[in-house]
Amino acid sequence: MNRNPPSVTLSAPVRRIAGFALLAAGIGFTGLMSFVHVLVELFD
Amino acid sequence: MSPSGFNRTRGPFHGQDKLPGWWTGLRGVPLALFALPFVPAFFLALISGEGRLVGGCIAALAGVGLAMSRLARARRGDARRAGVLLGIGIGLAAHFAGGTAPIGAVVLGLMAWGGARLLYDGVVEVAPPPPPRPAPPPDALDPMRARLAALRSGDPRLLPAAQELGGLLDELAQRPDAAGQARRVLVVGIDGLERIGLRLSQGATPPETLPVLVDDLARAARQSAQDLRGAETEALAIQVKVLQDRLHQEGIS
């Protein structure tokens, strides 16, 4: 068992919050954009 | 909660993060929550029949699913692999399902990758399990063991020799390096007994010399087994003598 060494020298809470925000933006925004795009393509 | 939950001793988290082992399997849940819009988008894309849209949604769901499975597995390097898989899946989805320009897809993929890297860097991971041990090589004496078993269950007149050959085989099994006379006795004895047993089973009348032959064969097998044991005893005596001389030279005894 080992701890995967962090590659960014940020404190753990900052890293977690930043990662969460980036994930929300990256995946969530892409998902919503895809949903809207599919809707537009469907009813266009 | 069951003992296998909180009291697990071999879970990757236990003892480090002070969290139960099953928690490891939930590491990827945030990814699934963020990826929820892809589910209705996938079905709507199916209805629309647009291959690009369907492919993009599949890429996103596959990327998220693979990343979640890597995170739940929690082996060394899995968090990094999960980030790469997620970035690729989201980039493809942004281009094909989201309709963004290639540069936009790359940026969104990088955001997903960076987010996963930041969120999951520093988590506890276990080393991958060692490769399975290769199967032991087949024992060269196994065929002889099977032939001897057949002889033992065959004609009872050959049983004494078969028993002694079995003892010799056991001695040989303990010393796989031993060769020469003992192995020759074993091979010749089994071959001969098999042929004799075959003739007897076909109704041949045994000659008067058969019991003598069986006794000779049994004696030869017994002698070979004793020789093998004697060689070991002799080697042990030499070892003891050498050790005694060494202790004497060192002034210990």
Side-chain angles (χ1 to χ4, degrees):
Chain A
M1 185 186 308
N2 74 321
R3 192 173 283 276
N4 184 15
S7 55
V8 182
T9 53
L10 294 171
S11 66
V14 174
R15 220 168 50 227
R16 296 277 184 266
I17 292 170
F20 209 74
L22 267 178
L23 269 183
I27 306 178
F29 178 71
T30 307
L32 289 174
M33 190 172 61
S34 302
F35 180 66
V36 171
H37 186 239
V38 171
L39 270 182
V40 169
E41 291 277 325
L42 187 61
F43 295 108
D44 193 13
Chain B
M1 186 60 63
S2 67
S4 62
F6 282 115
N7 299 330
R8 186 182 289 186
T9 55
R10 294 174 63 82
F13 272 79
H14 191 85
Q16 298 261 352
D17 291 21
K18 310 295 183 191
L19 288 170
W22 56 264
W23 183 258
T24 308
L26 303 179
R27 274 179 181 173
V29 167
L31 307 185
L33 292 177
F34 290 135
L36 277 179
F38 282 110
V39 178
F42 172 66
F43 288 108
L44 290 175
L46 279 181
I47 294 170
S48 75
E50 286 279 343
R52 287 175 64 252
L53 302 178
V54 175
C57 290
I58 289 176
L61 294 172
V64 170
L66 288 171
M68 286 177 71
S69 74
R70 295 297 180 281
L71 289 169
R73 193 173 66 171
R75 287 188 192 154
R76 190 171 297 155
D78 270 353
R80 289 164 186 254
R81 285 183 211 111
V84 172
L85 289 167
L86 191 66
I88 292 172
I90 293 301
L92 290 173
H95 182 61
F96 291 113
T100 59
I103 183 68
V106 169
V107 169
L108 286 168
L110 283 176
M111 285 170 74
W113 168 77
R117 285 295 303 273
L118 284 173
L119 189 59
Y120 294 111
D121 255 11
V123 295
V124 176
E125 294 177 332
V126 293
R133 296 173 63 183
D139 190 353
L141 297 175
D142 277 347
M144 289 192 183
R145 210 166 269 128
R147 291 164 70 188
L148 264 179
L151 280 173
R152 282 189 183 125
S153 61
D155 197 294
R157 284 167 287 196
L158 307 180
L159 196 56
Q163 296 281 21
E164 293 298 337
L165 285 172
L168 177 58
L169 184 64
D170 291 341
E171 291 290 337
L172 274 175
Q174 289 178 15
R175 303 169 189 83
D177 299 336
Q181 183 69 14
R183 198 172 284 269
R184 277 196 297 277
V185 168
L186 189 68
V187 172
V188 171
I190 292 177
D191 281 348
L193 288 180
E194 275 181 343
R195 291 202 184 96
I196 293 170
L198 183 64
R199 298 287 177 201
L200 291 174
S201 68
Q202 289 172 349
T205 306
E208 291 177 0
T209 52
L210 181 62
V212 180
L213 172 73
V214 171
D215 284 346
D216 284 347
L217 192 51
R219 192 165 47 249
R222 199 182 312 124
Q223 185 62 45
S224 296
Q226 283 175 357
D227 289 347
L228 282 176
R229 280 194 296 270
E232 287 296 321
T233 307
E234 195 176 332
L236 176 62
I238 292 171
Q239 286 291 328
V240 170
K241 180 75 169 62
V242 168
L243 184 57
Q244 276 180 335
D245 290 348
R246 182 79 189 273
L247 291 175
H248 190 69
Q249 285 173 359
E250 300 287 340
I252 298 173
S253 68

